[in-house]
Amino acid sequence: MEIRQIYYVLEVAKCKNFTKAAQSLYITQSNISQQISSLEAELKTTLFVRTHHNVTLTKDGERFCKCAKGVVDAIDILMKEFNESTEAEKAIINVGAFPFSWTVGVSSILKNFYKTNTNVLGSIRITDNYAAYEGLKSGDLDFALVKLRPEDRLKQLEYIPLIEEELLVIINRNNPIASHKAITAEDLTALPVLVGERTTNLWTDFQKIYKDRNADFHVVLENSFDRDLIVEMISNDDGITFATESTAAGIISNEITALPLEKPVAYHTYLAYPRTKEPEGIYKAFVEYVISGIQDLKETRNLKIENNKILY
């Protein structure tokens, strides 16, 4: 049994969902599922009842969590005892990251920075652009990784360009429209869309795409972060969604493909921070680390689209 497995079980029990727990811990859903399955095999019991939409604890799962909380509390006490004298000396860097950033490797860059800089404390929050901007304004966030059209940048923020991509339509391969070379305004009107909640920039951005093309904006799902649910619905041909090239590469499968829009939409990934807070010291090192990590990511993935397929 590993300590991380204990934390994984407690987080799944808290979220009642493997995907949400994985996002909260900034690991992949397959990783957390594999670790818990391995733990269950070691314990020779089942900790969770897995259903289509959520998970619940078994009797043994409840017993495990009760004991696990005591273990976690003891670890916290131990860490506080030995870190208390140096805690105040550590820099704090809080970062917001766009939904599904972990699917394209961006979250890994952030996690590796914290891992290799033990003098830094911080957090990574999965958030849409609106909430990220509020966090930067209030000081709750020091930086934010955001995706947006270049023309939508705010004057009060500094934006460091990281990745330039086109927005693609994610669609079921068996849908007749999937045979088109590009998605037209008429196609969009005919297809129901899976989108973020009305309070997020995703809703606003997608609605603008439809409005610019005089297409009907027919929404069938409002959900910002549940990637697995959206992928499942597209696999069942229940609707389409939009994603940039790098995100789309992690979604396409035997059931799902990605098509360009007939009238292209450029989306850029930026590292944003307030203009009034020019990074210095460890904060400047963080910026340089992210830029370098993104460059390595682009070189290893080298994405391009050819014959309606995303290639590496």
Side-chain angles (χ1 to χ4, degrees):
M1 182 186 303
E2 299 180 19
I3 292 176
R4 62 173 174 167
Q5 293 173 324
I6 296 175
Y7 282 98
Y8 292 175
V9 171
L10 290 175
E11 192 64 27
V12 172
K14 174 184 174 183
C15 297
K16 296 182 173 60
N17 183 285
F18 276 85
T19 300
K20 291 179 180 178
Q23 291 172 353
S24 176
L25 294 167
Y26 309 108
I27 60 175
T28 64
Q29 190 270 338
S30 59
N31 189 352
I32 197 170
S33 295
Q34 181 181 5
Q35 288 296 327
I36 290 179
S37 294
S38 176
L39 177 61
E40 288 176 323
E42 180 182 347
L43 298 174
K44 295 182 174 59
T45 189
T46 301
L47 301 176
F48 294 100
V49 176
R50 298 159 172 84
T51 64
H52 187 62
H53 295 293
N54 58 18
V55 295
T56 56
L57 287 166
T58 63
K59 290 294 184 182
D60 280 347
E62 291 176 357
R63 289 174 52 216
F64 182 91
C65 287
K66 185 177 180 180
C67 295
K69 287 177 182 177
V71 173
V72 170
D73 289 343
I75 292 173
D76 288 344
I77 292 171
L78 184 63
M79 293 302 293
K80 183 178 180 181
E81 179 70 23
F82 282 89
N83 288 328
E84 192 170 26
S85 60
T86 60
E87 197 79 2
E89 300 173 6
K90 293 191 176 184
I92 299 175
I93 301 180
N94 296 318
V95 185
F98 57 85
F100 311 143
S101 56
W102 55 274
T103 67
V104 297
V106 172
S107 290
S108 295
I109 295 172
L110 303 181
K111 288 188 294 182
N112 286 337
F113 175 82
Y114 291 127
K115 181 179 178 180
T116 55
N117 291 272
T118 56
N119 61 323
V120 177
L121 290 175
S123 65
I124 309 170
R125 305 178 194 175
I126 303 301
T127 179
D128 80 302
N129 291 357
Y130 290 167
Y133 291 156
E134 286 299 316
L136 291 173
K137 181 180 178 181
S138 66
D140 290 337
L141 294 178
D142 298 295
F143 299 95
L145 281 159
V146 294
K147 281 191 175 185
L148 66 152
R149 295 181 295 268
E151 61 268 25
D152 292 336
R153 289 174 291 181
L154 303 181
K155 292 182 179 180
Q156 60 267 40
L157 295 179
E158 189 71 33
Y159 291 86
I160 299 176
L162 300 174
I163 306 173
E164 300 179 9
E165 302 176 278
E166 279 191 22
L167 198 66
L168 305 179
V169 174
I170 311 301
I171 186 172
N172 186 284
R173 290 183 183 273
N174 294 323
N175 191 299
I177 293 176
S179 62
H180 296 186
K181 292 183 178 180
I183 299 295
T184 65
E186 292 76 15
D187 295 337
L188 291 176
T189 294
L191 294 166
V193 62
L194 315 174
V195 68
E197 298 172 3
R198 292 173 186 263
T199 56
T200 66
N201 72 283
L202 299 176
W203 175 283
T204 304
D205 290 352
F206 293 178
Q207 188 179 48
K208 188 177 187 298
I209 291 171
Y210 278 73
K211 186 176 181 180
D212 289 346
R213 292 160 176 74
N214 293 316
D216 294 336
F217 190 47
H218 175 40
V219 177
V220 295
L221 176 71
E222 299 177 22
N223 191 294
S224 298
F225 306 128
D226 198 335
R227 173 187 180 275
D228 288 350
L229 176 58
I230 291 176
V231 169
E232 179 183 345
M233 292 186 70
I234 298 173
S235 296
N236 294 331
D237 202 16
D238 293 328
I240 64 164
T241 195
F242 298 88
T244 55
E245 297 167 65
S246 56
T247 301
I251 296 176
I252 58 173
S253 64
N254 292 332
E255 294 83 27
I256 297 173
T257 189
L259 298 178
L261 287 159
E262 186 179 53
K263 181 181 175 183
V265 176
Y267 258 73
H268 293 186
T269 299
Y270 296 98
L271 180 64
Y273 61 89
R275 286 185 181 273
T276 56
K277 296 182 179 180
E278 187 65 25
E280 296 180 353
I282 191 64
Y283 296 93
K284 183 178 181 180
F286 171 81
V287 171
E288 294 172 348
Y289 189 94
V290 171
I291 294 173
S292 175
I294 291 293
Q295 184 59 41
D296 291 342
L297 186 65
K298 288 192 292 186
E299 290 177 357
T300 56
R301 303 195 73 152
N302 191 25
L303 297 173
K304 65 177 181 177
I305 306 171
E306 187 176 296
N307 298 325
N308 292 346
K309 294 182 179 179
I310 298 178
L311 307 176
Y312 293 94

